[in-house]
Amino acid sequence: MKYVAPYIPEDGKWYLAEILMETRFDGDYENIIYNNLTLVRADSPEEAYQKALLLGKEGELIYDNTDGKKVNVTFRGMRNLHVIHD
């Protein structure tokens, strides 16, 4: 199977990043994984990718919820990065 590169217009400046985050609550065996859809402004796909990774890392946090449980939100990666065109 031959690889076909995606179409990226020369004037493409906006990208949609699918950033995966995980939330864990102390004492719980289950966790929540969710997909944050985030618009990223960049001059190239590489710049958009780096900005999206940074946004994911900056979204990490640890806090105590109203039930007194420690909540840990962790960046788990990026699912997709789409250029927005037309």
Side-chain angles (χ1 to χ4, degrees), residues 2-70:
K2 182 179 175 184
Y3 172 74
V4 177
Y7 171 71
I8 300 173
E10 289 182 26
D11 61 345
K13 300 292 182 196
W14 289 98
Y15 297 81
L16 181 65
E18 297 182 48
I19 299 170
L20 296 175
M21 303 298 287
E22 175 186 27
T23 300
R24 288 185 173 268
F25 300 88
D26 273 357
D28 287 355
Y29 293 105
E30 295 182 8
N31 58 348
I32 300 168
I33 296 186
Y34 53 97
N35 192 13
N36 276 347
L37 298 176
T38 306
L39 283 174
V40 177
R41 167 47 175 97
D43 292 323
S44 70
E46 294 80 16
E47 181 184 357
Y49 178 76
Q50 292 302 320
K51 283 184 173 184
L53 291 178
L54 183 61
L55 286 169
K57 284 302 235 180
E58 288 176 346
E60 293 186 327
L61 61 131
I62 298 172
Y63 64 93
D64 292 328
N65 69 8
T66 56
D67 294 331
K69 288 187 177 183
K70 188 170 293 275

